[in-house]
């Protein structure tokens, strides 16, 4: 069965970086894009970025351009997102989600979420 | 960016009720609209894609409709497990954007 398993919770200081992983299984890794979506406490869902696992090409929301990088490892079917220069507003649950490659796309499977807490 | 506005922000209902949630896009998105159910501590679940298509395994009491800028999610015969937050999301243009959510409460 399709699964997206994310790394565990992280606590970071302001200004630090965090790297969250998302390991995919149960399907052909290169057949779907992987998106990152976060939810700050008490807030809604915010799209961050997407990666094409076949080519490694990425696209980021304007809020994260220059501060986030996204990579993939096709040998382990794992996608990583790294966010630098962390601030308190980055405290959130970070989800990876599988997105269909055809349009209209949708997120049919999600990871369990990784809580990132930024605190001094 | 396309702005997605849901109404109401919260809604109180009872088991067995029929409820409707509305989502409005800031410009036309054709039928590129998805609905998700989100419960605390769990990952969101896809309910409806492309405005009106029921995702596999989702009960038929969930229905979606609309096109252009105005969309609705209707839940007929509310069950206890339906009390959650519901989000719409457009996939018409980058970046994908979500509505602010509708919290459905008992």
């Amino acid at each position: 069965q399709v699964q997206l398993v994310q790394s565990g919770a992280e606590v970071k200081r302001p200004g630090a970086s965090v790297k969250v992983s998302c390991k995919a299984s149960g399907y052909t890794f290169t057949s779907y894009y992987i998106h990152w979506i976060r939810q700050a406490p008490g807030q809604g869902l915010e799209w961050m970025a997407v990666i094409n696992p076949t080519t490694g090409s990425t696209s980021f929301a304007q809020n994260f351009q220059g501060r986030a990088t996204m990579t993939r490892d096709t040998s382990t079917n794992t996608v990583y997102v790294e966010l630098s220069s962390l601030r308190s507003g980055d405290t959130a649950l970070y989800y990876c989600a599988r997105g269909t490659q055809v349009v209209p796309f949708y997120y049919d499977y999600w990871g369990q979420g990784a809580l990132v807490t930024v605190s001094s | 960016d396309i702005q997605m506005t849901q109404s109401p922000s919260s809604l109180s209902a009872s088991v067995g009720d029929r409820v409707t949630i509305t989502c409005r896009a800031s410009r036309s998105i054709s039928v590129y609209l998805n609905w998700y159910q989100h419960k605390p501590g769990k990952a969101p679940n896809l309910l409806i894609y492309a405005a009106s298509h029921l995702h596999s395994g989702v009960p038929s009491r969930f229905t979606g409709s609309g096109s252009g800028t105005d969309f609705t999610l209707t839940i007929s015969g509310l069950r206890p497990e339906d009390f959650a937050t519901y989000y719409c999301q457009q996939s018409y243009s980058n970046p994908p954007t979500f509505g602010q959510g509708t919290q459905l409460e008992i």
Side-chain angles (χ1 to χ4, degrees):
Chain A
Q1 72 281 23
V2 174
Q3 282 192 302
L4 298 175
V5 179
Q6 298 182 228
S7 48
E10 303 262 12
V11 179
K12 296 291 182 181
R13 301 288 191 206
S17 297
V18 68
K19 192 171 186 178
V20 181
S21 68
C22 173
K23 183 174 174 58
S25 61
Y27 71 98
T28 301
F29 181 60
T30 52
S31 293
Y32 294 83
Y33 295 157
I34 294 291
H35 296 244
W36 287 91
I37 295 147
R38 75 177 187 179
Q39 184 179 37
Q43 303 297 309
L45 300 171
E46 178 184 22
W47 181 81
M48 294 176 60
V50 60
I51 189 167
N52 178 336
T54 302
T55 63
S57 64
T58 56
S59 177
F60 296 90
Q62 193 158 9
N63 285 349
F64 301 98
Q65 286 177 4
R67 204 163 67 90
T69 56
M70 202 167 168
T71 56
R72 94 290 190 212
D73 182 343
T74 55
S75 68
T76 60
N77 292 352
T78 303
V79 171
Y80 303 88
V81 66
E82 185 168 16
L83 191 59
S84 61
S85 303
L86 289 169
R87 39 203 183 232
S88 59
D90 293 317
T91 294
L93 254 178
Y94 288 75
Y95 292 103
C96 60
R98 187 180 87 161
T100 56
Q101 291 193 13
V102 296
V103 177
F105 74 87
Y106 47 84
Y107 306 122
D108 58 353
Y109 287 92
W110 296 63
Q112 80 277 18
L115 179 62
V116 174
T117 302
V118 182
S119 174
S120 55
Chain B
D1 297 1
I2 296 177
Q3 306 301 315
M4 307 300 295
T5 305
Q6 288 182 232
S7 60
S9 296
S10 63
L11 177 58
S12 293
S14 301
V15 172
D17 284 355
R18 180 175 182 265
V19 298
T20 297
I21 299 168
T22 297
C23 179
R24 175 164 289 174
S26 58
R27 60 182 175 94
S28 178
I29 57 170
S30 184
V31 292
Y32 292 15
L33 190 283
N34 307 316
W35 289 98
Y36 301 86
Q37 177 192 68
H38 194 195
K39 297 180 180 179
K42 303 224 169 180
N45 279 326
L46 175 67
L47 299 173
I48 301 283
Y49 65 94
S52 60
H53 296 264
L54 196 67
H55 182 51
S56 174
V58 175
S60 58
R61 63 181 181 273
F62 292 92
T63 56
S65 65
S67 66
T69 60
D70 295 311
F71 301 85
T72 59
L73 172 69
T74 299
I75 313 170
S76 302
L78 274 173
R79 298 189 57 152
E81 60 266 32
D82 298 336
F83 292 94
T85 300
Y86 292 84
Y87 291 94
C88 61
Q89 173 247 327
Q90 65 82 17
S91 60
Y92 182 80
S93 71
N94 277 328
T97 46
F98 292 85
Q100 80 279 15
T102 295
Q103 187 170 6
L104 178 55
E105 302 168 316
I106 299 174

